[in-house]
Amino acid sequence: MGRTCRFSPCCLAVEAERSGPMDVRLVMFREDGTRVDFPLTKPVTVIGRKEACDIRIPLAEVSRKHSAVYVDDVAVRVKDQDSANGTYVNNQRVAEEKLAPGDHLIIGPVVFTVQVDGDPSEIRQVRTKLKRRGAQAAPKKAVASASGSVAALDESPDPISALEALASSAEQTAIDPLDDDDLLA
């Protein structure tokens, strides 16, 4: 009875056959419930407010270069790019974090669900609401992610037109950019 080990030559050969580019997607939903997938086809995908970003979110809460998602043959990770408001994974602020299928990547008011090679196969809509200064916060709902951690998410829908533009765009860039002059110091 022979034992196999993932480090034995035969197991490494099998693993090498299965390795290759992972199909990694960031999934979000439009306000009407329509799912929008952002395939991460490059080794590095930059998310931010700047026009040169791969995924552009033209909102003041998002830094010009907010975070970067790195994809290779074995892992997906996100790294905050010294953003003002932080990058969150499952409601925890992170500087750099490995992403797992089903994790929630939160950039400003946008919540993406991480999907790797079709896992998780079912993704439900996560809604957020921007908190304005002086405004009353919406009720929170605790949600468990696939990794078992709990995130507090708003139950009310988010009427952000810029996100609708982002979600309905066929490209990975949003329409209707914000100028730096539109932002408060």
Side-chain angles (χ1 to χ4, degrees), residues 83-123:
S83 66
N85 293 320
T87 298
Y88 292 79
V89 175
N90 299 324
N91 228 30
Q92 298 294 312
R93 190 170 183 159
V94 298
E96 185 171 356
E97 184 76 19
K98 185 175 178 182
L99 297 172
D103 281 347
H104 291 125
L105 173 61
I106 305 162
I107 310 288
V110 182
V111 179
F112 296 102
T113 301
V114 178
Q115 185 179 47
V116 179
D117 295 329
D119 184 27
S121 58
E122 292 184 32
I123 298 174

Side-chain angles (χ1 to χ4, degrees), residues 15-141:
E15 195 170 281
E17 285 178 25
R18 285 186 289 148
S19 68
M22 290 192 290
D23 178 21
V24 179
R25 297 168 183 272
L26 297 181
V27 179
M28 68 170 283
F29 290 85
R30 293 195 304 188
E31 189 174 323
D32 66 4
T34 305
R35 176 181 163 151
V36 180
D37 291 29
F38 294 91
L40 304 185
T41 58
K42 301 187 323 184
V44 179
T45 299
V46 178
I47 303 170
R49 191 180 74 237
K50 195 172 182 180
E51 285 186 38
C53 292
D54 301 302
I55 298 177
R56 186 157 183 258
I57 305 171
L59 299 172
E61 296 83 7
V62 177
S63 294
R64 289 179 188 97
K65 281 188 169 179
H66 198 97
S67 58
V69 180
Y70 298 84
V71 178
D72 60 33
D73 291 343
V74 295
V76 181
R77 62 186 171 87
V78 64
K79 185 174 181 184
D80 186 77
Q81 302 294 296
D82 297 322
S83 66
N85 293 320
T87 298
Y88 292 79
V89 175
N90 299 324
N91 228 30
Q92 298 294 312
R93 190 170 183 159
V94 298
E96 185 171 356
E97 184 76 19
K98 185 175 178 182
L99 297 172
D103 281 347
H104 291 125
L105 173 61
I106 305 162
I107 310 288
V110 182
V111 179
F112 296 102
T113 301
V114 178
Q115 185 179 47
V116 179
D117 295 329
D119 184 27
S121 58
E122 292 184 32
I123 298 174
R124 38 177 218 98
Q125 184 174 6
V126 177
R127 296 180 181 199
T128 63
K129 184 169 183 151
L130 279 175
K131 225 197 281 188
R132 302 280 184 210
R133 288 186 187 145
Q136 196 172 7
K140 302 279 184 185
K141 176 181 179 183

